Amino acid sequence: MTFDSQAYAAQLQDKVTRLRDLLAPFDAPEPAVFDSPLKNFRLRAEFRLWREAGERHYAMFSQDDKRTPILIEEFPIASLRINQLMPQLKAAWQASAPLSHKLFQVEFLTTLAGDAMITLCYHRPLDEHWHAAAAKLATDLGVSIIGRSKGKREVIGHDYVVEKLDVGGRTFSYRQPEGAFTQPNGTVNQKMLNWAYQALGDRSDDLLELYCGNGNFTLPLATRVRKVLATEISKTSVNAALSNLSENAVDNVTLVRLSAEELTEALNEVRPFRRLHGIDLKSYEFGSVFVDPPRAGMDPDTCELTRRFDNILYISCNPDTLAANIAQLNDTHRITRCALFDQFPWTHHMESGVLLTRR
């Protein structure tokens, strides 16, 4: 793969044109554009292992052909740390029967801050021989190691990596657990956080956040408002978010493990939820809502819920569902800011953001 800057610029312009066209019916302003490094931008990678000529090799498969492996020695879109670790790990499993026996998948998770974790997946139980070899490997490589076999998980070091991101003149520390969602492009994620921080602005009222994940946006946005009510359905992400709030001494956030649909029911007083016990929803003076939904976008009821707020800050990984949600809100809200974040260079995928304010 070549990393030609002119080819990248042309691809990025195509994405800008696509976003502009999708938002044109809503009289959106020209999007701010945040580009990506051309290579070494991806902080996580997952490989199957493929045996050929008596050796295991890193392998990936194209979307069109799940049977023919593409053998890989290096992965230029992945972080420099991943590319450094790939040959070191391969040499280690080649030299160690406990590490290589029935090993079928490898996952890397790294951070801009330099932390790294490797997950090794096996079609066999993990014994003391594996644990001794993996402990030595973790020391030799300076990483945490997770061993996975059916229904079991062995942790050597930590089951998370730590990221540090600079937003609004402050450095935030994030615990990113193994197996949980994290933004793949750390450089663009930092740009995205700063855009959202600026778009929200300093406010004297409260913020509702849906789909908060590990608190990626929660931490910096909480410094802009009086207090935050945040929701997330994944237990792993909730635990990481609580740890991140504590680590960063952010004490004005109440986090509830509810889906966006359940919170909508709670705010509409459709039914009570035990997980909201002790939380006075009526004490909040919500002026803004922040949403970062999955690719499907917001369901109609959640979208309707956001209409009651003066400001809707919306980050989207699917511009088509973003446009569909804006169409539902367009009669009461207008786009005052928009942005394109090139989280996924060399693909057609894009991340975008809009600030909708009440007409």
Side-chain angles (χ1 to χ4, degrees), residues 100-344:
S100 63
H101 184 49
K102 295 195 175 181
L103 174 65
F104 72 92
Q105 183 167 300
V106 173
E107 301 165 13
F108 295 92
L109 180 60
T110 61
T111 69
L112 296 176
D115 207 356
M117 176 170 58
I118 301 173
T119 301
L120 305 174
C121 303
Y122 293 86
H123 286 312
R124 69 173 178 92
L126 302 178
D127 57 19
E128 66 274 11
H129 301 294
W130 176 88
H131 200 281
K136 182 178 185 304
L137 177 66
T139 299
D140 291 345
L141 299 187
V143 301
S144 292
I145 298 285
I146 309 293
R148 284 195 172 272
S149 60
K150 187 176 181 180
K152 298 286 186 179
R153 187 179 77 145
E154 298 285 339
V155 178
I156 298 172
H158 299 293
D159 64 350
Y160 59 85
V161 291
V162 175
E163 181 62 286
K164 294 186 182 297
L165 299 172
D166 296 327
V167 186
R170 175 176 170 181
T171 300
F172 292 91
S173 177
Y174 293 89
R175 181 178 294 193
Q176 299 180 341
E178 186 249 355
F181 173 79
T182 54
Q183 298 287 347
N185 189 324
T187 301
V188 176
N189 181 39
Q190 188 164 256
K191 294 177 180 181
M192 191 164 64
L193 292 174
N194 276 284
W195 178 86
Y197 177 89
Q198 293 296 332
L200 181 62
D202 271 323
R203 304 189 56 84
S204 57
D205 52 15
D206 303 328
L207 174 70
L208 174 66
E209 181 182 5
L210 309 179
Y211 323 95
C212 78
N214 73 340
N216 185 50
F217 287 94
T218 317
L219 299 182
L221 295 186
T223 68
R224 301 293 252 174
V225 296
R226 190 178 67 130
K227 58 182 181 176
V228 179
L229 178 65
T231 70
E232 170 58 48
I233 193 61
S234 163
K235 186 178 291 188
T236 301
S237 293
V238 166
N239 289 337
L242 290 171
S243 173
N244 291 336
L245 290 167
S246 175
E247 173 70 21
N248 291 274
V250 175
D251 60 4
N252 62 336
V253 176
T254 299
L255 180 58
V256 184
R257 194 166 71 85
L258 290 175
S259 69
E261 294 82 0
E262 288 171 329
L263 184 71
T264 299
E265 291 183 339
L267 290 172
N268 289 334
E269 300 183 347
V270 173
R271 65 187 177 104
F273 288 88
R274 187 176 301 168
R275 280 167 282 176
L276 285 170
H277 179 71
I279 298 173
D280 182 7
L281 293 179
K282 289 184 168 54
S283 71
Y284 286 87
E285 298 174 7
F286 293 119
S288 306
V289 59
F290 175 80
V291 296
D292 182 11
R295 286 189 60 78
M298 292 188 288
D299 67 275
D301 288 343
T302 303
C303 194
E304 201 60 32
L305 169 70
T306 65
R307 187 194 299 278
R308 68 178 67 175
F309 303 96
D310 289 339
N311 303 292
I312 305 167
L313 191 53
Y314 190 145
I315 297 292
S316 169
C317 59
N318 184 342
D320 295 303
T321 55
L322 171 66
N325 284 158
I326 293 172
Q328 183 176 339
L329 297 165
N330 191 48
D331 59 331
T332 56
H333 288 72
R334 63 187 179 89
I335 303 175
T336 54
R337 291 194 189 200
C338 67
L340 186 153
F341 310 100
D342 200 19
Q343 280 267 12
F344 312 100

